[in-house]
Amino acid sequence: VRRLSSREFACRYLHDLLRELDDGRLLGHAMAYHTELDGMGEGVQIYKSPWSSSGRGVFTSAHLTEEQVRTRLAGFLRTQSGYVSDRYYADKTLDFALEFWVHADHRVEFLGYSVFHTEGSGAYGYNLVSSQEQLRALIDFDPALLARLIEYHQGHLGQTAYHGPVGIDMLRTSQSLHPVVEINFRMNMGILAILLYNMYGANATVQLTPLRPGGFEARIAAGRLEIVYAG
């Protein structure tokens, strides 16, 4: 699980996908894994440590000096032995994901789509709790290409010893898709949003955890699944 959860694995998986599907609308060719300070590309970049979650261990080069970027990347190399670089997609119009379950017999079940919001820094904001029809309408991209991506994942995610939930984060621009921004080999907020829609429907407002003075709380607020941290 540790190996699969590394963004190094996601990079290899992405480039295998891009070679096999070979569609000009697919982005991600610039995404790369580095083990030295050689990944500072032109323009605004996004950098990620090999292991992190919910946007931690992620930063962009916007508003940072070259020396500040180098210092942060040196920290990734010192603590986790590598980092990922990619183009920062300022023209992004939507974050979404494909959600799967890999069964013990290696059969890969497609659970559905999830749509979520991230902050400019890459930190997780919230998931939409809505019907699959409404989520597909928001994604609003060629259904044939989406079907090809789902088929690809169903043919490849089951080739490891892992079984359990998997979410593949994607983004879209006006004309293109980045098919593998992240791979989450774990239960994730997208799958939870699908389950909560089945329980509560769309536009629900539900307190999911007790209100606490410290720690965090989970809630659905007008159809948005949120994790709110105290302070």
Side-chain angles (χ1 to χ4, degrees), residues 32-41 47-48 59 65-79 81-85:
Y33 184 78
H34 307 269
T35 56
E36 297 180 1
L37 283 173
D38 59 355
M40 299 175 63
Y47 298 103
K48 306 177 182 182
F59 73 94
T65 66
E66 181 175 332
E67 185 58 32
Q68 288 171 323
V69 172
R70 292 178 67 88
T71 297
R72 293 194 183 191
L73 295 181
F76 289 167
L77 290 171
R78 184 175 63 256
T79 59
S81 302
Y83 63 91
V84 168
S85 67

Side-chain angles (χ1 to χ4, degrees), residues 77-226:
L77 290 171
R78 184 175 63 256
T79 59
Q80 297 194 20
S81 302
Y83 63 91
V84 168
S85 67
D86 198 359
R87 170 191 153 198
Y88 178 72
Y89 293 91
D91 55 345
K92 176 180 70 176
T93 60
L94 191 72
D95 290 299
F96 70 103
L98 305 177
E99 307 293 350
F100 299 91
W101 195 279
V102 182
H103 293 271
D105 62 0
H106 304 285
R107 179 174 55 88
V108 180
E109 178 185 0
F110 176 56
L111 301 178
Y113 298 94
S114 64
V115 173
F116 60 98
H117 172 77
T118 59
E119 308 301 333
S121 63
Y124 173 80
Y126 57 83
N127 262 85
L128 297 182
V129 179
S130 193
S131 70
Q132 287 295 300
E133 291 74 20
Q134 290 171 313
L135 297 180
R136 281 195 296 269
L138 284 172
I139 295 167
D140 189 25
F141 207 84
D142 180 8
L145 178 55
L146 292 171
R148 288 176 67 201
L149 290 168
I150 293 167
E151 182 180 13
Y152 180 91
H153 298 315
Q154 289 183 303
H156 290 77
L157 289 176
Q159 293 180 8
T160 74
Y162 174 85
H163 57 90
V166 181
I168 299 185
D169 291 352
M170 305 170 61
L171 65 80
R172 68 155 296 177
T173 66
S174 60
Q175 302 294 326
S176 304
L177 292 180
H178 191 315
V180 184
V181 176
E182 305 270 358
I183 306 178
N184 296 306
F185 284 90
R186 54 178 169 79
M187 179 56 75
N188 61 76
M189 299 292 280
I191 296 176
L192 181 58
I194 292 172
L195 297 173
L196 290 172
Y197 172 77
N198 292 336
M199 294 175 64
Y200 299 112
N203 301 314
T205 297
V206 182
Q207 186 68 32
L208 299 169
T209 60
L211 293 168
R212 299 184 180 92
F216 72 91
E217 61 179 277
R219 66 193 182 202
I220 307 173
R224 293 181 175 182
L225 172 59
E226 303 172 336

Side-chain angles (χ1 to χ4, degrees), residues 8-22:
E8 180 181 8
F9 177 85
C11 280
R12 293 201 308 271
Y13 188 96
L14 166 65
H15 288 286
D16 288 345
L17 180 154
L18 292 173
R19 282 191 295 270
E20 186 166 328
L21 296 192
D22 190 25

